[in-house]
Every structure is written in C-alpha cells, then in structure tokens.
C-alpha cells in the first residue's frame, strides 16, 4: 500500500494533539476514531488494489500525482472551512455594528442641532459609506456622509475624515436641502445626491438612475 499516505495519516494524528482546548479524554477519543476511520479507508483502497478492482495509480505516489486522501479527511476539511466562513461573517457583522454604535452619539448630537430624525442621518450614512469614515468615492466624495471637498468647505468642514465634522456637515447640508424643498424628503435626498440645481432643473427627482435608486434605498432604510 502507499506508505506516503500512511505517513501522512500518522502526521495528522500527531498534529491533532496540539493547540486543543477540548477535554483531553474526549479529544483523544475523537483523534483515535478519526485516525482509525482514515486508516481504514486507505486499507480498503489497498485491498481493492489487491483484488484488481481499483486503479494502482490511486495509491502509488510518484512525486507528481496527488497523494491519496481519505474521504473522511476531505469531509473534515470542508466542515472546518464552513465553520471558519461562518465565524468570519459573524466577526464582520459585529465589526459593522460596532462602527455604527461608535457614531450613535455623534448622530444624535447632529440630529438635535439641525432638527433632523436620527434615523434619516443614519440611513444616509448607511448608503453613502456603510459607516466607513475613511472611504473616498470615485468622484472624490469623502467620509461618512460623502462630502465633496467644495461642499465640505462651504459647510465649514475642515477634515472630512473626522467623523464628528463629517456628520455635522452632512446633517447641516440635509437640513438646507429640506428647507430649500419645503420639507420634501424625496427632493431633499435627490438634491443631496445630485445637487439642488438638477432637482430644480428637472422639477423633481432627476432622471438619473443612480439618484432615483439612491432616494429609494435611503427611504427604504429610513422606513424599515
């Protein structure tokens, strides 16, 4: 039979004893069972060879072909990969929520200052930057509420990557747009995205797919 496969199984069995936090007796039992299962699969393949029912190349290692891997080892690797993916997704969700929580007080402060719903500011941030204070768009918009440099200067924002300055400036701009369009949130959001000039020019939400989708997404988040 393939000595390379047996050697590999023995190395796996030895390595599994390192870095565990499981109960020693339980862990040893799991290792022994797994090792026995994998060894049995290799031996079964070897028996098949002797009976002429399997391809010899499946076990002979010549330095080029893959070493025979027991099915149980593949299953173990797949299960481990799935667990790692789930843990990674969970960590990403926690990180996103943590970022959102970090800005809660800043959003509340800006909402009180400019008489805006906190949820409106939060919804804009969600769809502008997904709560990433360091993001820059292809057009050059910066920070949480994606302020263009010229707009940021007009709003008194000196550092668009500073969360407090950015949220304050973005909230101030939202209030200006709401005042300009008589409290119409649809038009205010359209103006925030495409500029008040385009809203006035087209007499409503401009026929830009990006702007139309933006208004819908922000309002959906706001109303959810």
């Amino acid at each position: 039979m393939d000595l390379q496969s047996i050697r590999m199984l023995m190395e796996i069995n030895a390595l599994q004893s390192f870095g565990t936090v499981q109960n020693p007796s339980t862990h040893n039992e799991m290792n022994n069972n797994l090792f026995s299962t994998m060894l049995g699969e290799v031996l079964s393949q070897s028996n098949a060879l002797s009976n002429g029912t399997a391809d010899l190349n499946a076990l002979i290692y010549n330095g080029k072909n893959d070493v025979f891997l027991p099915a149980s080892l593949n299953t173990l690797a797949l299960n481990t990969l799935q667990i790692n993916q789930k843990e990674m997704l969970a960590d990403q969700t926690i990180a996103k929520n943590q970022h959102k929580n970090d800005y809660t007080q800043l959003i509340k402060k800006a909402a009180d200052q400019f008489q805006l719903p906190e949820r409106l500011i939060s919804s804009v941030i969600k769809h502008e930057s997904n709560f990433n204070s360091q993001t820059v768009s292809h057009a050059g918009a910066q920070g949480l509420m994606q302020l263009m440099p010229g707009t940021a200067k007009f709003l008194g924002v000196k550092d668009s990557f500073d969360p407090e300055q950015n949220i304050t400036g973005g909230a101030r701009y939202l209030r200006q747009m709401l005042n300009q369009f008589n409290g119409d949130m649809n038009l205010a959001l359209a103006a925030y995205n495409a500029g008040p000039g385009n809203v006035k020019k087209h007499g409503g939400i401009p026929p830009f797919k990006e702007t139309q989708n933006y208004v819908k997404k922000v309002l959906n988040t706001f109303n959810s």
Side-chain angles (χ1 to χ4, degrees):
M1 65 177 297
D2 184 4
L3 295 180
Q4 183 75 9
S5 295
I6 296 295
R7 178 182 176 185
M8 179 191 67
L9 291 176
M10 295 182 70
E11 289 177 350
I12 292 172
N13 188 50
L15 286 172
Q16 283 180 325
S17 62
F18 294 103
T20 181
V21 293
Q22 299 178 25
N23 178 277
S25 61
T26 302
H27 180 62
N28 289 334
E29 182 179 351
M30 291 174 60
N31 283 346
N32 291 334
N33 290 338
L34 178 60
F35 180 71
S36 298
T37 300
M38 292 190 295
L39 181 59
E41 290 174 8
V42 174
L43 292 175
S44 296
Q45 185 76 1
S46 180
N47 291 334
L49 286 174
S50 63
N51 295 330
T53 59
D55 182 4
L56 183 63
N57 291 327
L59 285 182
I60 295 178
Y61 181 71
N62 58 25
K64 297 180 181 179
N65 61 308
D66 294 333
V67 176
F68 171 71
L69 293 178
S72 54
L73 181 59
N74 287 329
T75 300
L76 177 65
L78 180 60
N79 290 340
T80 302
L81 178 61
Q82 291 174 339
I83 291 173
N84 290 340
Q85 289 176 334
K86 289 180 180 178
E87 291 178 346
M88 185 181 299
L89 289 174
D91 289 342
Q92 291 174 347
T93 300
I94 292 173
K96 288 180 180 179
N97 290 336
Q98 184 61 49
H99 283 310
K100 184 175 181 179
N101 292 336
D102 287 344
Y103 306 128
T104 299
Q105 293 304 314
L106 297 180
I107 291 172
K108 184 180 187 318
K109 180 180 178 181
D112 292 341
Q113 182 177 353
F114 299 106
Q115 296 299 296
L116 295 169
E118 293 178 38
R119 193 169 185 81
L120 177 59
I121 299 175
S122 179
S123 298
V124 169
I125 294 175
K126 167 66 179 176
H127 293 286
E128 288 288 354
S129 66
N130 199 25
F131 295 91
N132 181 354
S133 65
Q134 302 303 305
T135 191
V136 178
S137 75
H138 65 278
Q142 302 172 333
L144 290 167
M145 299 190 74
Q146 289 290 276
L147 303 178
M148 293 295 291
T151 304
K153 184 177 181 180
F154 170 75
L155 295 168
V157 176
K158 296 181 179 180
D159 181 4
S160 288
F161 298 111
D162 176 79
E164 183 170 10
Q165 290 188 47
N166 192 287
I167 291 174
T168 300
R172 186 192 305 275
Y173 192 56
L174 268 176
R175 170 42 62 192
Q176 291 177 356
M177 295 303 99
L178 282 166
N179 290 345
Q180 191 168 152
F181 295 100
N182 302 313
D184 189 317
M185 195 176 293
N186 288 273
L187 298 183
L189 288 172
Y192 190 94
N193 178 263
N198 278 316
V199 175
K200 293 177 180 178
K201 176 182 177 181
H202 295 281
I205 299 176
F208 310 145
K209 179 174 289 188
E210 177 186 339
T211 301
Q212 292 175 346
N213 289 336
Y214 174 82
V215 173
K216 290 179 182 178
K217 289 178 180 179
V218 174
L219 287 179
N220 284 338
T221 299
F222 176 73
N223 291 319
S224 63

